[in-house]
Amino acid sequence: MTSQAIPMTKKNADSVTLIDNRTGKSIDLPLIKGSAGPNLIDIRQLYNETGYFTFDPGFTSTGSCNSKITYIDGDEGVLLYRGYPIEELAEYSDFMETSYLLIYGELPTAAQKKEFEYSVVYHSMVHEQLINFFRGFRRDAHPMAVMVGVVGALSAFYHEHTDIQNPGEREIVAHRIIAKIPTIAAMAYKYSIGQPFIYPRNDLPYTENFIRMCFAVPCEDYRSNAVITRAMDRIFTLHADHEQNASTSTVRLAGSSGANPYACIASGIACLWGPAHGGANEAVINMLKEIGHEKNIPEFIRRAKDKNDPFRLMGFGHRVYKNYDPRAKVMRKTCHEVLNELGLQNEPLMRLAIELERVALEDPYFIEKKLYPNVDFYSGIILRAIGFPASMFTVLFAVARTVGWIAQWNEMTNEENQKIGRPRQLYTGETRRSFVPVNKRK
Ligand code: SDX
């Protein structure tokens, strides 16, 4: 018995019809088709025409904006930055070139790349007054708390270039924040271990400069390792942008009010910190340490499946990917490269991670719910092998994602009829009631 389909007339061809079964009234809602991905139902007139809101906590079925920057096909495990597959950028490009691509929309010519790198490196030093902000933190403060504070403090500097309606000034903001975020991140690390800050050098490429600021000391020359630098650079590329994830949506929402762009980036850092989002890489390492040995894997898999147990397999699952996260595949390969370079092939946590992944991917619960390793599952093992403490993992994610945040902020700010974001709600609280004087309250 086939259901009685609504006759498809020209009127309906590019729309869906919503019928209110209580009143029998119907409304045609236009369908919007992008260059790829599912169609969207344009509900902008819904409330005006029906008096109804939509209800979608967590925005699982809601498109919040129009963007040309990153495309994800979660079912196929596809991630494109401005149309280029993440696997090809990770293999053949580098983080600076990918940053240019995300911001300007095209891969740079050799001259454009050189000019972009020059501009970034010459903005990499921070104002000397900014250093004072670190002194207020305890040495054991979480580096992400320091990042939120110090990056937010950047909004108290550079007043000369914050006319965000001016594309040229937005470009300076983008170059400045991309340049200064690694310097501040390295300072947050140095501060946490009680070592002196290392200033950036104008003769070093972006990622090599960052690693040197983290691991060099004034007492001796620092020798970088090309394999480690390439791995770190690739990790930055993999984390640079990811469509409208929680922290990017936070930056867009903060920016939609016209707020200071550095303060908007600080709001993205705050959101990324959560273990359900960018904090997962730190949580993966803590989870692997808690599991401790392959023999304990079955118990933790059982706990991950138990609805009454809050334990989740960190680094597994994703709101969009219902297939292997393409970044996780590149991360796994990079993990082996770094461990081989450092002679850590038998690193216990790596062995444990590989076995945990194998067991989970064969388990019916994970198969049925399409839970695969995500970008965070292997990144922590690489970063730990390079020498970063787990508390720095999300900071490194923030260094990379700052490029995506500022590219998305720039795209939003550049929109013609950009509006302030202001969602509505389902109110379930008390309806109107009169005030009761304190001597009459029970
Ligand atoms: C990032 O959005 C992005 O793009 C983010 C990101 C980016 O680049 O910006 O990709 C970076 O944040 C990656 C995700 C890192 N987080 C983790 O690894 C934490 C562990 N993962 C989960 O917390 C979870 O998978 C989320 C938060 C990532 C996604 O959660 P959703 O989309 O809200 O899915 P859900 O919680 O509704 O889960 C669906 C089902 C649930 O079971 P049921 O209620 O349907 O019975 O799957 C279960 C969940 O219980 N589930 C898990 C699980 N993840 C989901 N069960 C065990 N272990 C897990 N990891």
Side-chain angles (χ1 to χ4, degrees), residues 261-275:
Y262 302 104
C264 294
I265 297 298
S267 72
I269 295 172
C271 177
L272 186 72
W273 191 1

Side-chain angles (χ1 to χ4, degrees), residues 227-228 231 333-343 382 385-386:
V227 172
I228 300 304
K333 176 171 166 278
T334 304
C335 209
H336 284 295
E337 284 171 11
V338 168
L339 295 179
N340 290 340
E341 172 68 16
L342 299 174
I382 303 174
I386 291 175

Side-chain angles (χ1 to χ4, degrees), residues 17 53 109 117 119 160 176 222 230 342 406 424 427:
T17 301
F53 293 147
T109 61
E117 287 177 325
S119 172
E160 75 284 6
R176 266 200 171 119
Y222 180 76
R230 179 73 187 120
L342 299 174
I406 203 70
R424 301 304 301 271
Y427 178 67

